[in-house]
Amino acid sequence: MAIIITVSMVLTFLIIYILLRVTESPLTGVITSSMFIAIVSIVVGTLLSSYVSKKMLRPILNINDAAKKVARGDFTVRLEEGSIANEIREIAENFNLMLRELSNTETLRNDFVSNVSHEFKTPLSVIEGYAMLLQDETLTKEEERKYVRTILENTGRLTELTQSILSLSQIENQEIILQKERFQLDEQIRRVLLDFESIWENKNLTIDINMDETYIYGSQSLLARVWSNLIDNAIKFSDQDGLLSIECYEEGTNIVVIVKDTGIGMDEVVMKHAFDKFYQGERSHHVKGNGLGLALVHRIVTLCGGTVSLKSEKGNGTAVMVKLQKS
């Protein structure tokens, strides 16, 4: 459009110039020189504006093209972040950041579906296999009892997995805690620990409790899940005759709870993904689990306005620290 206007103006000036050359006048030379300068200025200005416009519009057009690709599900596209305009550069940087987050979310979603499918498929296959074996009329009573026990174990595994997924899904979609009350936190942790008494006695674990009398204003039901998952993990991953220690104390305006075991521990790779849903790392080869315990703990603690962190070393146990505000 700018080029068309420029060409029109140049032709107009040329016609005026020819007419002035035909008509002799003292002002003809002055006007002719002015017109020549005007024509040169218009041409140069048009070229410069065209260059600058393309330079400025190209990143915007690239963003538009990239947005279309993202709409089609392509999260691998990236924008150049070297624009001369600060605003365009900032848009490109934020756009690339958004794409990285979307790509990570898509990866997690695919992993989640894959892991859920795997976690359900394994016990279902076992149940189906042993149910078919039970149809054999030549089985002994002992074999029947063994097969039924295996089916019941895997049925319980499916039930636990379903409940964990539903609990995590419910909490992930929850933004506020409606039911809060003031209660004694250390006493709640003791009650939860007693629920696992038969399990830690079977492993002959030494229980070391060092908890001050602490009160907190929060959700009893949600926090009970936190201690239940942490204590269950600590017992589950502890070696026979190991040590399970629990600390609870106030630190300024916070309450700190530490659950520590002397079990198999975690390496850096496992620790990095410890709070990811369904991630079990090398632990899946040692004990049964579905990889949702710590993910549930992390979500609840975050929902309660607190933080959770891990300290672990392969072969030397794990310590989980939870920090919560007193009110």
Side-chain angles (χ1 to χ4, degrees):
M1 186 67 181
I3 295 175
I4 295 174
I5 295 174
T6 302
V7 172
S8 300
M9 293 180 66
V10 169
L11 290 174
T12 302
F13 278 118
L14 284 174
I15 293 171
I16 296 172
Y17 170 75
I18 293 171
L19 292 174
L20 288 173
R21 294 296 294 177
V22 172
T23 305
E24 295 293 335
S25 172
L27 296 176
T28 300
V30 176
I31 295 175
T32 301
S33 300
S34 300
M35 289 179 62
F36 178 77
I37 295 173
I39 291 172
V40 172
S41 299
I42 291 171
V43 172
V44 173
T46 301
L47 294 175
L48 287 175
S49 62
S50 178
Y51 173 78
V52 173
S53 297
K54 288 183 179 179
K55 192 73 174 178
M56 295 296 293
L57 286 175
R58 188 180 296 113
I60 297 176
L61 294 175
N62 290 339
I63 293 173
N64 184 52
D65 293 337
K68 291 179 180 178
K69 293 180 180 179
V70 173
R72 292 194 294 267
D74 182 7
F75 301 133
T76 61
V77 62
R78 292 293 183 271
L79 295 175
E80 294 184 5
E81 300 179 0
S83 176
I84 58 175
N86 293 332
E87 292 78 5
I88 299 296
R89 184 169 60 252
E90 186 175 347
I91 290 174
E93 292 173 354
N94 291 330
F95 192 89
N96 289 337
L97 177 61
M98 177 193 70
L99 288 175
R100 286 192 293 269
E101 292 298 325
L102 286 173
S103 179
N104 291 336
T105 301
E106 182 70 9
T107 300
L108 289 174
R109 186 185 68 83
N110 292 334
D111 289 345
F112 179 81
V113 172
S114 175
N115 288 326
V116 168
S117 300
H118 173 74
E119 291 294 334
F120 274 97
K121 183 178 179 180
T122 302
L124 284 174
S125 298
V126 173
I127 292 172
E128 181 184 13
Y130 280 94
M132 292 179 64
L133 290 174
L134 283 173
Q135 297 178 10
D136 187 353
E137 297 180 355
T138 63
L139 292 176
T140 64
K141 290 294 182 181
E142 180 61 30
E143 289 175 328
E144 287 183 355
R145 284 194 293 268
K146 177 182 177 182
Y147 295 164
V148 170
R149 187 166 57 249
T150 303
I151 290 174
L152 290 175
E153 287 177 356
N154 282 274
T155 302
R157 182 179 172 185
L158 280 175
T159 302
E160 181 184 355
L161 176 61
T162 303
Q163 290 175 344
S164 297
I165 292 175
L166 290 175
S167 297
L168 185 59
S169 177
Q170 179 184 12
I171 294 173
E172 281 187 328
N173 291 293
Q174 185 176 345
E175 297 299 331
I176 59 174
I177 301 175
L178 298 177
Q179 296 181 342
K180 288 185 177 183
E181 57 185 312
R182 189 173 183 270
F183 63 95
Q184 189 172 343
L185 185 63
D186 60 295
E187 184 61 29
Q188 182 190 51
I189 297 174
R190 287 188 179 90
R191 289 197 302 268
V192 173
L193 179 61
L194 287 174
D195 291 338
F196 293 89
E197 183 175 7
S198 61
I199 304 176
W200 47 260
E201 281 186 345
N202 287 336
K203 278 197 168 184
N204 195 31
L205 298 182
T206 299
I207 308 299
D208 181 19
I209 298 177
N210 184 16
M211 295 192 290
D212 299 334
E213 184 176 315
T214 54
Y215 289 85
I216 190 171
Y217 181 73
S219 171
Q220 284 204 58
S221 60
L222 289 179
L223 289 177
R225 292 188 190 182
V226 172
W227 318 132
S228 179
N229 277 285
L230 292 183
I231 292 172
D232 182 39
N233 279 348
I235 296 173
K236 190 184 298 181
F237 300 122
S238 289
D239 298 324
Q240 193 74 20
D241 303 318
L243 172 66
L244 169 61
S245 61
I246 303 176
E247 297 180 57
C248 179
Y249 57 89
E250 294 186 6
E251 186 180 76
T253 59
N254 295 323
I255 294 176
V256 178
V257 178
I258 301 175
V259 179
K260 184 177 181 181
D261 64 69
T262 56
I264 61 178
M266 292 182 267
D267 56 29
E268 292 184 1
V269 175
V270 177
M271 283 183 62
K272 183 179 179 181
H273 299 281
F275 296 113
D276 293 350
K277 287 177 286 189
F278 289 105
Y279 186 83
Q280 300 179 58
E282 298 178 355
R283 290 186 169 196
S284 59
H285 302 292
H286 296 271
V287 293
K288 294 180 180 179
N290 52 43
L292 290 176
L294 286 179
L296 194 62
V297 167
H298 185 270
R299 176 56 187 158
I300 292 175
V301 173
T302 302
L303 184 62
C304 293
T307 61
V308 57
S309 58
L310 292 171
K311 285 186 179 180
S312 185
E313 185 179 346
K314 190 69 175 177
N316 290 320
T318 301
V320 183
M321 176 186 290
V322 175
K323 281 190 177 183
L324 299 166
Q325 295 180 351
K326 288 189 287 186
S327 59

